[in-house]
Structures are given as C-alpha cells and as structure tokens.
Amino acid sequence: VEVSTPTSEPLPSLSDGVPSAATSPITTSQAVAPVATNAIAAATGTPADSAAGYWEKAQAAIKAGRWQEALAALEAVRQLDANYRTVERNEQLLNVYVSLAAEKDNEDDLEQALQYYDKALTLRPDDMDVMRERDLITRYLDVLTYYEADWSRSIDLLEALYLDEPQYRDVESRLQEAHTAYGDELAL
C-alpha cells in the first residue's frame, strides 16, 4: 500500500461515483491503524489508553504469566487514575512484584530479586513471606561477599543460614567446602 499525503485534487471514481480504493490516497494515520488498541476497545467496551483499558491488559498479562507486561499495565493504571481499583491494583502489584522477584531469584539475579521484594514490601510492609525471602537472599549475598575471602566469617554466615533453611540454594555444599578450605588454611 502506497502512503501519500492528501491533496486537493479530486479523487478518481468508478462509474457509480464511489472512489476506487486502489487509486485513493491513504493518509499516514489511515495506513497505521492502532489495531491492538481497537481490539481491546471492541472487546471490553473501554478505550485501551484509559485506566480501564490498561486494567484489562494487566489482567490478560497476569493470566498468561507475563509479569513485566502486567507490571507496565498496572503502573499505567496508577498513573492514569490513582484511585482506579486501588485495593485490587495494589494486591495485583504485590503479586507481580513477588512473581518477578522469584523469577529473578531463579535466574540468579539476586540483586534484582531484592529490588522487587523491596517494592512488594512498600505495598505490604508486614508480609512475613516476602520479608523471609528477602532476608534469605540478603544473607546469601553476605555469604558470597565473604566466601573465599574470609573462611571463618563465611562459615558463621553459612551455619546461621543453614540452621534456618538447610535446603536453600547451595548452602549445604558451600558450608562443607568452607569447612574444608578453612581447615586447610589453618593447617598451613
């Protein structure tokens, strides 16, 4: 489809007086139609760029497990209308943050996981599960800071972590390795 700018010249027409689609100029706004926006508006009866439209996008993304997309849509809802479904939105934001944190934790991106847990805690500061996960990551990062640099400190941190959560990551094997390395260091 060729895109041209509108002119003041008369359009060619067929014998019945209707302009031919093949010869009519198409403006840029006609050529690039917001198909996704129109589809959401048609399906939900709401404009896609409204808080309700972004809410619908967020619901679809959450249902599909597309956490980044859900987060962007929920943040757009908050920016467009801070009072739109506030309780539900905050609950869903909390769940999205926790899901993103778990995703980043599984990818070994612990610093990013901490940031998402921190955002979750701004919405529900007394959430014991979120606080626990955040604490485990923080303590594990402390272990990584001292690991191989200070075996005594590493062992202390690993033992405390092991007592709380023996199956957390590779705490058990790191603890064994730290004991061995520290023993070798003392034997020198």
Side-chain angles (χ1 to χ4, degrees):
V1 174
E2 184 177 359
V3 177
S4 64
T5 56
T7 63
S8 58
E9 299 175 18
L11 298 173
S13 51
L14 298 173
S15 58
D16 64 358
V18 178
S20 166
T23 58
S24 298
I26 298 174
T27 64
T28 304
S29 62
Q30 291 170 325
V32 184
V35 177
T37 300
N38 292 338
I40 290 173
T44 63
T46 59
D49 60 348
S50 69
Y54 279 106
W55 179 259
E56 294 300 323
K57 288 180 185 181
Q59 301 316 298
I62 289 168
K63 188 174 183 178
R66 295 187 311 264
W67 307 120
Q68 287 291 347
E69 185 180 326
L71 177 59
L74 289 169
E75 287 176 345
V77 169
R78 183 171 44 196
Q79 288 175 354
L80 288 170
D81 185 351
N83 298 318
Y84 188 81
R85 295 187 162 193
T86 307
V87 173
E88 292 172 87
R89 185 191 66 232
N90 287 343
E91 187 66 27
Q92 289 188 353
L93 270 171
L94 174 79
N95 292 331
V96 167
Y97 286 142
V98 169
S99 296
L100 283 167
E103 194 174 89
K104 293 302 178 182
D105 187 358
N106 290 335
E107 295 169 0
D108 290 329
D109 187 352
L110 301 179
E111 289 82 8
Q112 186 68 49
L114 277 179
Q115 290 176 14
Y116 284 123
Y117 282 130
D118 286 342
K119 288 180 180 186
L121 287 170
T122 64
L123 295 170
R124 191 180 299 154
D126 59 346
D127 189 308
M128 297 303 290
D129 293 332
V130 173
M131 287 190 300
R132 177 162 174 73
E133 289 301 318
R134 188 192 184 290
D135 180 61
L136 287 171
I137 291 174
T138 301
R139 293 167 61 194
Y140 188 78
L141 286 171
D142 285 344
V143 166
L144 296 180
T145 299
Y146 290 101
Y147 201 74
E148 295 184 355
D150 183 344
W151 290 120
S152 176
R153 180 74 176 135
S154 295
I155 290 169
D156 291 342
L157 293 169
L158 283 162
E159 284 177 344
L161 191 51
Y162 182 81
L163 286 173
D164 288 343
E165 191 67 43
Q167 300 302 314
Y168 187 72
R169 295 186 162 273
D170 58 352
V171 168
E172 184 177 17
S173 62
R174 279 189 185 266
L175 181 56
Q176 291 173 353
E177 185 179 316
H179 276 293
T180 301
Y182 189 48
D184 291 347
E185 186 179 284
L186 292 175
L188 296 177

